[in-house]
Amino acid sequence: MTPGPRQASGETTSRVTVDRDRCCGAGNCVVTAPEVFDQDDTDGLVLLRDPTPGGALLDRVQRAADLCPAGAIRID
Amino acid sequence: MTQTTETELPHWPPVNPARSPFALIDDAERQPLAERAVTRVQLPTGATAWLVTRHTEVRQLLRHPGFSSDLLRPGFPLLRPLPPDVTSNSQGAFIRMDGAAHLRLRRMLTAEFMIKNVQRIEPLIHQTVADALADLAAAGSPADLVSTFALPLPSKVICHLLGVPYADHDFFQSRSRLLLDRRAPAEQFQHAAQELREYLRSLIDAKRARPDDADDLLSRLIRERVEPGELDVDELGGMALLLLIAGHETTANMLGLSVLLLTRHREQWAILRDRPDLAPGLVDELLRYLSIVRNGLFRLATEDVEIGGRLIRAGEGAIALLSLANRDPGVFDDPDEFDPYRQAHQHLAFGFGVHQCIGQPLARAELRMALVELARRFPDLRVAADPQELSTRDTSIVFGLDALPVTW
Ligand code: HEM
Ligand code: SF4
């Protein structure tokens, strides 16, 4: 749950990863940050739409990781 | 541990009724529990368990793989002794399974209940709400909101989704209520469970005998999972039972309590009518504040795990108390105040971890649409009783009101 590494430019970049093996399809992530997360039409499991969401989204992506009941979302 | 120390432990579930439907537990019993993150308690069976009462620790417990939901394991904390034939009767009940076995069944349903899919069935929910409102109007003031609106609405929706005839509602509602009551006599409990299983089994058999392209969930699971040999019929029966019970009793109890609360906050009733865009936040605050799963979620430690500075040893029971975690002052300011404008999204009313409620998008949609339409259609709705006088389901796994007399 730490912010991404500081780059030389001073920009913060974060990489989001999801673990579909852990996902239990509760969909909290989709409610919290629909720009970044989606659910697969066939199995309901998480899909990542944007692995490097921009700064404005990061708060909500962090909240989604926090709310994910299965601990399936990582931010590095 | 000796008998004397055992008898000094606080009892769980609480011994005394709470002072109002909005107080989660009796104040005197709550106080010692709120002082610590983890408290050893005594269950009605005489066994002991660790009661976990704070937000951080409840989340930690429910997300930890070292806790099992399987009540057939020796040492599992129980509120009543297991009926003798429970093993043969528990197939498909994935709420009580762990690991891969749990995920296997849950994943057959995740796409069904995900938000996108619930959005697709919103017109159906909307129509069902409209019908239920018409029934309430036809019943005339005064009416019982629980039996004319709160219970029929989610029952009709889950029946429609599953492909269970709503005409049988008296039968499955009464049996479901009995199964959720921890004080129900063992014989009645067993009988009700068996009746429901047999009922669903014959429904499934009938659907299999007359295959068609019906679009209900049971028909689809039969076509796509049972016939190809991926899923056993008894497993499907158990899944259907779980969905049928969880799909109607929960939302129904939330609706009754929500109306009681909101009619005491008249300004909220008006806002619901004029600003439906605020309804989703209001629904989350209702879920937090009312926390209807008040006995907590029961687990058995399968390895030694430290929670809140306590070592919970393999073989010991633990209870995640959602209701007090939802009133944790470290997370929610003035937690005993109902405040629809707070950011309540962190509430744990649907649980946490891999068992977190699969029906939550459906429950949220039902609650939002039902409350908005009710406030629109009945702006002057009033409860015709003192909250303290209303009969509450104190011994049910899912807290709620038996009846709610309303006038308009
Ligand atoms: C306001 C309404 C509801 C509340 C407060 C609620 C609460 C909960 C809670 C706390 C759990 C977790 C149980 C555990 O971890 O042991 C759960 C699980 C579950 N709920 Fe709900 N529920 C609601 C509505 C629904 C609806 C409408 C459905 C219908 C589809 C449903 C179906 C389920 C199922 C199938 C599970 C088991 C999930 C699993 O074990 O993976 N619930 N619910
Ligand atoms: S919140 Fe977590 S478990 Fe739920 S869909 Fe998203 S990634 Fe999966």
Side-chain angles (χ1 to χ4, degrees):
Chain A
M1 312 270 157
T2 47
R6 289 260 154 201
Q7 307 246 303
S9 66
E11 269 287 288
T12 307
T13 53
S14 297
R15 174 159 284 276
V16 181
T17 45
V18 293
D19 183 345
R20 287 174 52 91
D21 289 338
R22 281 181 172 223
C23 173
C24 61
N28 294 333
C29 53
V30 186
V31 187
T32 313
E35 303 87 339
V36 179
F37 304 101
D38 195 3
Q39 274 171 288
D40 194 310
D41 279 329
T42 51
D43 61 14
L45 301 186
V46 65
L47 290 176
L48 198 54
R49 301 167 61 136
D50 180 2
T52 51
L57 282 172
L58 275 181
D59 262 8
R60 280 192 287 126
V61 173
Q62 183 60 60
R63 194 202 279 179
D66 212 41
L67 288 179
C68 172
I73 301 171
R74 266 190 60 163
I75 306 171
D76 296 299
Chain B
M1 204 158 284
T2 69
Q3 199 54 41
T4 39
T5 48
E6 298 280 88
T7 53
E8 285 159 14
L9 294 175
H11 287 266
W12 192 260
V15 184
N16 300 308
R19 91 190 111 77
S20 96
F22 310 125
L24 302 172
I25 76 173
D26 174 66
D27 298 323
E29 288 181 77
R30 174 174 171 176
Q31 209 214 328
L33 301 178
E35 279 166 11
R36 291 175 221 101
V38 182
T39 308
R40 201 171 170 80
V41 293
Q42 181 168 0
L43 306 178
T45 49
T48 60
W50 298 102
L51 189 68
V52 180
T53 50
R54 294 206 183 133
H55 196 267
T56 306
E57 285 80 7
V58 164
R59 280 173 42 116
Q60 199 189 341
L61 165 77
L62 292 176
R63 200 145 94 172
H64 200 292
F67 289 97
S68 168
S69 286
D70 179 1
L71 48 72
L72 300 180
R73 283 179 186 251
F76 194 94
L78 296 168
L79 289 180
R80 58 176 160 214
L82 283 180
D85 65 343
V86 69
T87 15
S88 59
N89 258 338
S90 62
Q91 278 199 71
F94 60 94
I95 195 167
R96 306 264 56 117
M97 296 180 184
D98 300 326
H102 162 256
L103 275 185
R104 170 180 161 254
L105 298 183
R106 178 168 170 127
R107 285 190 172 164
M108 294 184 187
L109 301 171
T110 41
E112 192 70 26
F113 291 99
M114 67 183 175
I115 293 160
K116 270 189 274 188
N117 224 24
V118 170
Q119 281 164 351
R120 274 195 278 273
I121 59 162
E122 276 197 10
L124 161 78
I125 304 176
H126 205 268
Q127 187 55 50
T128 317
V129 170
D131 294 347
L133 286 172
D135 290 344
L136 184 60
S141 171
D144 171 25
L145 187 101
V146 172
S147 56
T148 47
F149 183 79
L151 190 56
L153 168 61
S155 305
K156 281 183 185 162
V157 173
I158 197 70
C159 278
H160 188 99
L161 293 182
L162 287 176
V164 169
Y166 178 70
D168 298 329
H169 66 98
D170 281 338
F171 166 77
F172 69 75
Q173 286 164 345
S174 57
R175 271 55 170 191
S176 302
R177 196 149 58 235
L178 210 142
L179 289 186
L180 291 172
D181 185 353
R182 63 185 164 84
R183 292 264 175 84
E187 256 165 60
Q188 282 185 28
F189 176 91
Q190 255 177 287
H191 188 60
Q194 197 184 337
E195 279 182 317
L196 276 173
R197 285 223 167 230
E198 281 167 9
Y199 169 74
L200 289 167
R201 177 60 197 256
S202 55
L203 197 70
I204 291 168
D205 287 346
K207 284 180 194 279
R208 291 187 74 190
R210 287 182 276 99
D212 53 23
D213 51 5
D215 194 39
D216 61 79
L217 180 57
L218 293 183
S219 299
R220 261 183 291 124
L221 287 169
I222 288 170
R223 273 200 307 274
E224 293 163 16
R225 308 283 185 173
V226 175
E227 303 306 353
E230 273 176 54
L231 183 68
D232 191 88
V233 255
D234 286 329
E235 291 180 313
L236 180 60
M239 291 160 83
L241 179 60
L242 173 57
L243 290 170
L244 184 62
I245 299 178
H248 79 275
E249 269 288 330
T250 46
T251 308
N253 285 313
M254 267 302 294
L255 272 175
L257 287 166
S258 298
V259 169
L260 176 62
L261 181 65
L262 292 170
T263 49
R264 292 159 56 80
H265 291 252
R266 293 305 311 181
E267 71 296 349
Q268 291 307 324
W269 197 243
I271 290 173
L272 206 47
R273 191 185 60 215
D274 301 331
R275 293 286 311 274
D277 56 307
L278 296 178
L282 177 86
V283 165
D284 266 324
E285 174 64 353
L286 288 166
L287 287 160
R288 179 196 76 87
Y289 187 75
L290 297 169
S291 289
I292 55 173
V293 183
R294 293 193 178 175
N295 287 333
L297 302 181
F298 288 63
R299 300 290 192 263
L300 178 76
T302 54
E303 57 184 81
D304 294 358
V305 183
E306 199 186 301
I307 303 277
R310 278 280 174 184
L311 186 65
I312 300 183
R313 293 187 186 280
E316 292 182 335
I319 304 166
L321 195 53
L322 308 176
S323 52
L324 283 190
N326 278 342
R327 302 245 182 137
D328 183 336
V331 179
F332 305 102
D333 293 337
D334 283 333
D336 291 320
E337 290 302 312
F338 172 67
D339 171 11
Y341 301 106
R342 78 164 80 235
Q343 295 282 310
H345 59 264
Q346 298 189 64
H347 73 75
L348 299 172
F350 289 120
F352 202 65
V354 291
H355 288 281
Q356 193 187 54
C357 183
I358 200 173
Q360 54 181 301
L362 177 61
R364 284 200 165 95
E366 289 176 337
L367 291 171
R368 172 173 50 79
M369 290 159 121
L371 292 171
V372 166
E373 295 306 321
L374 199 55
R376 276 194 180 141
R377 174 87 186 253
F378 298 98
D380 298 321
L381 193 77
R382 306 234 176 252
V383 169
D386 251 5
Q388 278 80 359
E389 290 169 5
L390 295 168
S391 155
T392 50
R393 299 195 176 155
D394 294 309
T395 59
S396 176
I397 310 287
V398 182
F399 182 77
L401 303 170
D402 286 319
L404 184 66
V406 291
T407 58
W408 58 87

